[in-house]
Amino acid sequence: MCIRDSAAYPPHVQAPPAPDAGYAPPAPDAAYAPPPPVADYGTGYAQPQAPAPAAPMPGGPGVGATQGFPAYGTDHGDGGPSTEAFPVYDSHADAPAGPTGGPGFGSGPATGGPAAAAAASWPGPDLDGPLPTPVPAPAPAAPRPTPPADKKAAAKASAKPAKKGRSKLVLVGGGIVALVGVAYGAGLLLNHSDVPKGTTVLGVDISGSRDEAAAKLQTAFGTRAATPLQLSVGGKPVELKPDKAGLTLDAQTTVRNAAGSDYNPITVIGSLLGNERVADAVMPVDEEKLQVALQELAGTAGSVTEGTITFEGGKAVAVPGKAGTGLDVDGSVDLVTKAFRDQVGTGKAAVVQLPTATREPVVGQAELDRAMKEFAEPAMSANATVKAGAKSIAFGKLSLPKILSMQAVDGRLTEKFDLEALKATYGNTFDGVMITRGTGAKTAVTPQDVAGALGKALRGKTPAERTVVIETNPS
């Protein structure tokens, strides 16, 4: 607790009593003239509006230093100093008597008297200078104006039957979905066969069972696939059979690929509307077989002359080859394949010009010399005899030229027998002779049996080597 020093006050001002002690307000001093009024308060000036009451400072009345400005509540507005927390009353008459008989202070807020309910003229903070001019509280902000609504849009929105329109759209959408579902189901029922309805191959409808589809393919394309291709090599027309060249239409694979249900909704529903489901025709190519066929074709077409050996006048004659233009085998493979597929697809047998190139003979002089020494000269040196059972026949200078020739195979000359001419030569010589085959069956002697034995006999150099026996009971 702080006790104020009386020496700090002027002689005509009585120091306030100690806190908690009731006292009467001091008597006015006749010799003291009040100071001139201070700006903002005092006699002759309008009193400022009191701000809203604030909560009392901690510690109660009398705590802390004086404010340094006169308090209100006397008749002249110049009462003595007041502590920071004491409220000031308007008149002595309104304040109840304290314990000492004086007005007011003994029953102030610190002692809990009824004066605690009186309004304080300055409940503000402890200030050493003049009172600040109160700042009025800001007025509450005006509510933000609501933007004016579009009356026409609001009226239109309220008048629009949104739910009813939405319901119609839902009903229409549901109907469409149901219709699509029914059509899809109907399409699946109609496409239950092996090859679905509307399936075509090269424009031909093959829908139905697999056997029916294969039969339709064979009827429509069988003849086309077997027709020889019309080709031209260096201006010379030639033919090539597709089956010999490894070119075929595989009907079974085509049907197998086209069979099976297609569950695509677009395809299924489209079949009800007559849409086609196109399947590819399978036409495999045996390239190795095609190469061999073209090699044989090259030997008969073009201007190249291959080296060979002929048998004339009872002797073998070597014929050297000559260079010229011949079939370009590698460049013809793709053209022949395309020609076959076009012929099957369209039925047209157009002549295809095959490329040619300058070629040297496959059989050169060295191969001619070897074939003459190892086969041709010994073959014409003497008769060759073939036996079967108790029967035999000799082949010599007169008969051999009719049945014997040489051909190039992979650049090497080998003998070739004309089987029809051979059979005509030996006639019924071996009739009744039966040969037991590897399967146990017994059959008659064939031209192939005679040709095999004759080929060995023609290479013999002695009479014994030039006689060959056909085994009738091989072990």
Side-chain angles (χ1 to χ4, degrees), residues 82 103 180 321 445 449:
S82 172
V180 171
V445 176
D449 296 329

Side-chain angles (χ1 to χ4, degrees), residues 17-368:
D20 300 334
Y23 60 91
D29 190 350
Y32 170 73
V38 182
D40 297 334
Y41 61 89
T43 305
Y45 293 88
Q47 298 296 327
Q49 288 185 345
M57 296 296 291
V63 180
T66 60
Q67 295 291 340
F69 53 85
Y72 299 90
T74 62
D75 294 336
H76 304 285
D78 56 352
S82 172
T83 59
E84 58 181 292
F86 279 106
V88 180
Y89 303 95
D90 291 337
S91 65
H92 301 296
D94 295 335
T100 58
F105 294 98
S107 58
T111 59
S121 61
W122 177 250
D126 184 9
L127 299 175
D128 293 334
L131 288 176
T133 302
V135 178
R144 299 179 63 182
T146 303
D150 189 345
K151 295 182 179 180
K152 293 184 179 180
K156 185 176 179 181
S158 61
K160 183 179 178 180
K163 293 185 177 180
K164 185 175 181 181
R166 193 176 303 116
S167 300
K168 288 182 179 180
L169 290 176
V170 172
L171 290 176
V172 172
I176 294 175
V177 171
L179 181 60
V180 171
V182 171
Y184 182 70
L188 290 179
L189 290 176
L190 293 176
N191 290 339
H192 67 281
S193 57
D194 291 339
V195 180
K197 181 181 178 181
T199 302
T200 62
V201 173
L202 298 176
V204 176
D205 190 334
I206 64 168
S207 57
S209 66
R210 297 195 179 195
D211 292 340
E212 292 172 345
K216 291 178 181 179
L217 284 175
Q218 186 62 33
T219 300
F221 307 111
T223 302
R224 299 179 185 180
T227 301
L229 298 173
Q230 302 300 314
L231 310 174
S232 176
V233 180
K236 180 180 180 180
V238 292
E239 289 186 347
L240 180 64
K241 293 183 178 180
D243 57 344
K244 183 179 180 180
L247 302 170
T248 58
L249 170 63
D250 191 341
Q252 296 299 327
T253 302
T254 300
V255 171
R256 184 168 56 253
N257 292 347
S261 298
D262 188 347
Y263 295 101
N264 187 334
I266 297 177
T267 305
V268 173
I269 297 176
S271 66
L272 297 176
L273 304 176
N275 291 349
E276 289 187 5
R277 177 176 177 263
V278 179
D280 295 329
V282 179
M283 290 182 274
V285 178
D286 186 339
E287 293 188 0
E288 182 178 355
K289 198 172 181 178
L290 178 57
Q291 286 274 356
V292 172
L294 291 175
Q295 290 286 359
E296 293 180 0
L297 190 63
T300 60
S303 60
V304 179
T305 303
E306 289 291 348
T308 188
I309 297 175
T310 62
F311 301 94
E312 302 172 355
K315 63 180 180 179
V317 179
V319 180
K322 294 181 180 179
T325 59
L327 177 66
D328 182 0
V329 175
D330 293 336
S332 300
V333 171
D334 291 341
L335 292 175
V336 172
T337 301
K338 183 179 183 302
F340 171 73
R341 291 177 176 174
D342 289 345
Q343 177 173 287
V344 173
T346 64
K348 297 179 181 179
V351 177
V352 179
Q353 299 288 337
L354 298 183
T356 58
T358 301
R359 295 177 56 240
E360 293 292 331
V362 175
V363 178
Q365 188 62 44
E367 177 58 20
L368 282 175

